[in-house]
Amino acid sequence: MLCAISGEAPQVPVASRKSGNVFEKRLIEAYIADNGKDPVTGEELTADDLVDLKSARVVRPRPPTLTSIPSLLSVFQNEWDALALETYSLRQQLAQIRQELSTALYQHDAAVRVIARLTRERDEAREALSKVTINAGGAVGSGDEMQIDNHGLPEAIAAKVDSTQAKLSKSRRKRTVPQDWANPEVIQSFVLKGSSEALYPGVKSIAIDASGDLAIIGGIDGIAGLYSVSQKKLVRALNGGSGAITDTKWWGSHAVFATASGVIKIFDISGVEVASFSSHAGGITALALHPSGEILASVGVDKSYVLYDLSSLKPMSQIFTNSGLTAASFHPDGHLFAAGGEDGKIKIFNVNAGTNAADFDTTGPIQSLSFSENGTWLAVAAKGQTSVSIWDLRRTAQTKLLEVGSQVDDVEWDYTGQFLAVAGPSGISVQQYTKSTKEWSEPLRTAISGVAIQWGPRAQSLISVGADGVISVSGTQ
């Protein structure tokens, strides 16, 4: 009597009422629990259909193959043969895997070498392209062209830079805060006085004229607009051609703006184009106007900055660096020029000689630069950071890190060097430095979004613009 499942003598035999087959009780109960059928006939079967069989319990004999020494030796021999074959197979697989791994490592090493060579060739090609001599047009319609080189400024312009430095640095020591200048109490009372509709998408900068009434902005469509703060409307549109407007400045009564296509355009107040420059081998990222009002600087992704003579409307010199440039600012005395790089370095140049005077390392690509009128501090905003670093030119070191608490896109000192305006997508704020106590405070924080900010006349207002082209004016009621 053998179990129909195991083929061995059951210790607790049971029989099926339906098929009559004999099973080991524990095996058939487990099978019924899983399948609910007779394992032999496939009929429906439950535990109630099983009948216990009476049988004498006997000790199960050992399998006959293991009852003698020869049979044991035969089993051991078979096991050893199987183990030897398995070991041989594993060794073959290991050798094959090692060969495949060495081939993959060789191919990876070759790919890394090719990538490194291509990267080097690409960088060399970019460097060669950025150093190609570029012809820039002079005044529109004049047909004149001049070649830009890396030499210092012409003697007349260099003399103007020196005289401007001597005049401004001397007067700065005796300068007092104008009586009608805004104080901390006035700035604390600033509220939103008005805002425009969304004028241009993708605005990156704003420039306010000396009267505080006209603002230049431009967006990704290559159109710049003159916005009247008092009239609360656009009064003129200026065509910049292809490429987004990347920066704007006022040169007296002339509107100046740069584009991502590498073009600078100058328009008079009536909307007539006065000059156009295309000195960069790539997009222009920022503009700066010299304190003398006679020199314009531009920086670009081609790792260079260009100085232009505004009296003759011609480029004068082009200086190359080792990284793309993203921000620019002249020292208030005019003898130094600061350019922020994609590599996180602030590069300070001597304006006349074009030589590098100092480098400051920051935490990321430079977003905005602003020199304080005290002549010794430089405010720096890095891309994506929530703080503003203050650098001391005398010690060539960071003297203060202002934690704003939200992303900073633009910084701008006021004329007195007391107040630093900070703009970002989460709002604008004003940081104040009190010279008598040598302490910093925050007299103003608002939720007005801004990517660029400017002070109004006598610091009695703040004009900011958001990425959507909405101009906001904050001031006292």
Side-chain angles (χ1 to χ4, degrees):
M1 187 171 56
L2 300 177
C3 174
I5 295 177
S6 65
E8 297 178 356
Q11 293 187 359
V12 183
V14 293
S16 170
R17 294 178 187 272
K18 295 184 177 181
S19 65
N21 290 307
V22 178
F23 303 97
E24 174 69 45
K25 185 176 183 178
R26 59 181 177 81
L27 295 179
I28 188 59
E29 286 180 347
Y31 188 91
I32 291 173
D34 292 337
N35 302 283
K37 296 181 180 181
D38 189 299
V40 177
T41 63
E43 297 177 10
E44 295 292 331
L45 189 67
T46 65
D48 296 331
D49 295 326
L50 301 177
V51 178
D52 291 331
L53 300 178
K54 301 293 184 176
S55 65
R57 184 177 296 272
V58 295
V59 177
R60 181 185 300 174
R62 300 183 65 183
T65 56
L66 301 178
T67 56
S68 65
I69 291 178
S71 64
L72 287 173
L73 291 176
S74 176
V75 170
F76 292 156
Q77 182 65 52
N78 292 336
E79 289 293 331
W80 172 257
D81 292 344
L83 181 61
L85 290 173
E86 184 180 3
T87 303
Y88 175 76
S89 177
L90 289 175
R91 286 179 178 176
Q92 276 189 323
Q93 294 176 8
L94 177 61
Q96 182 180 359
I97 292 174
R98 281 180 173 176
Q99 185 176 5
E100 292 175 355
L101 179 60
S102 63
T103 302
L105 290 176
Y106 174 78
Q107 292 174 345
H108 177 268
D109 182 67
V112 169
R113 292 175 182 272
V114 171
I115 292 172
R117 178 174 58 82
L118 293 176
T119 302
R120 183 176 66 254
E121 292 176 356
R122 181 204 63 186
D123 293 341
E124 290 174 353
R126 285 181 176 177
E127 185 72 15
L129 177 63
S130 66
K131 292 185 177 181
V132 172
T133 301
I134 305 163
N135 289 334
V140 172
S142 67
D144 296 331
E145 292 183 347
M146 74 171 290
Q147 195 176 66
I148 305 174
D149 55 36
N150 291 340
H151 299 299
L153 300 182
E155 291 185 5
I157 301 298
K160 183 65 177 179
V161 172
D162 291 337
S163 63
T164 300
Q165 178 192 1
K167 177 182 177 181
L168 294 179
S169 61
K170 183 178 179 180
S171 62
R172 179 170 288 104
R173 300 187 185 98
K174 301 178 182 179
R175 182 186 300 171
T176 58
V177 177
Q179 292 184 354
D180 57 349
W181 205 260
N183 56 40
E185 290 74 22
V186 171
I187 292 178
Q188 286 177 359
S189 65
F190 278 8
V191 295
L192 178 62
K193 296 180 64 177
S195 59
S196 71
E197 59 183 3
L199 301 175
Y200 299 105
V203 173
K204 293 184 178 180
S205 69
I206 186 171
I208 309 298
D209 71 348
S211 69
D213 184 55
L214 284 179
I216 313 173
I217 64 169
I220 58 177
D221 55 1
I223 303 297
L226 302 185
Y227 178 83
S228 172
V229 175
S230 60
Q231 300 178 46
K232 297 183 179 179
K233 67 176 184 178
L234 278 173
V235 296
R236 186 160 285 107
L238 308 173
N239 187 3
S242 62
I245 306 297
T246 55
D247 202 4
T248 56
K249 293 292 178 201
W250 280 101
W251 168 44
S253 60
H254 293 78
V256 184
F257 58 86
T259 69
S261 60
V263 177
I264 297 175
K265 289 185 177 290
I266 302 177
F267 289 82
D268 63 18
I269 196 66
S270 62
V272 176
E273 185 175 330
V274 175
S276 177
F277 307 113
S278 55
S279 303
H280 288 274
I284 298 172
T285 53
L287 298 173
L289 187 66
H290 192 267
S292 67
E294 298 184 12
I295 301 173
L296 177 71
S298 64
V299 299
V301 297
D302 62 352
K303 305 180 182 181
S304 75
Y305 75 86
V306 181
L307 298 181
Y308 308 86
D309 181 4
L310 293 178
S311 60
S312 63
L313 296 177
K314 292 183 180 293
M316 297 181 293
S317 67
Q318 185 169 20
I319 307 298
F320 288 90
T321 67
N322 55 6
S323 70
L325 302 178
T326 55
S329 181
F330 277 106
H331 187 276
D333 290 343
H335 65 299
L336 296 176
F337 174 71
E342 295 175 344
D343 58 357
K345 289 187 177 181
I346 308 161
K347 311 169 199 303
I348 310 295
F349 295 91
N350 180 288
V351 173
N352 281 343
T355 55
N356 184 244
D359 284 342
F360 303 148
D361 290 326
T362 61
T363 56
I366 307 303
Q367 182 81 13
S368 177
L369 297 173
S370 180
F371 277 106
S372 170
E373 282 291 331
N374 65 16
T376 58
W377 283 357
L378 174 65
V380 180
K383 186 175 181 179
Q385 299 297 311
T386 61
S387 59
V388 178
S389 56
I390 308 297
W391 291 81
D392 192 326
L393 300 182
R394 298 167 299 183
R395 298 187 296 169
T396 63
Q398 180 177 298
T399 186
K400 182 68 176 180
L401 184 67
L402 298 173
E403 183 58 49
V404 179
S406 59
Q407 180 178 318
V408 178
D409 286 342
D410 193 26
V411 290
E412 186 72 22
W413 286 101
D414 78 320
Y415 172 74
T416 65
Q418 299 179 88
F419 305 111
L420 178 66
V422 179
S426 298
I428 64 174
S429 63
V430 174
Q431 309 295 320
Q432 179 191 1
Y433 178 72
T434 306
K435 189 175 181 180
S436 58
T437 61
K438 297 183 179 181
E439 293 181 349
W440 288 87
S441 59
E442 186 180 79
L444 179 69
R445 177 177 287 271
T446 73
I448 302 171
S449 176
V451 295
I453 193 166
Q454 291 275 289
W455 289 97
R458 305 181 307 282
Q460 296 290 334
S461 62
L462 282 170
I463 300 96
S464 60
V465 64
D468 55 358
V470 175
I471 296 177
S472 303
V473 180
S474 301
T476 55
Q477 292 283 15

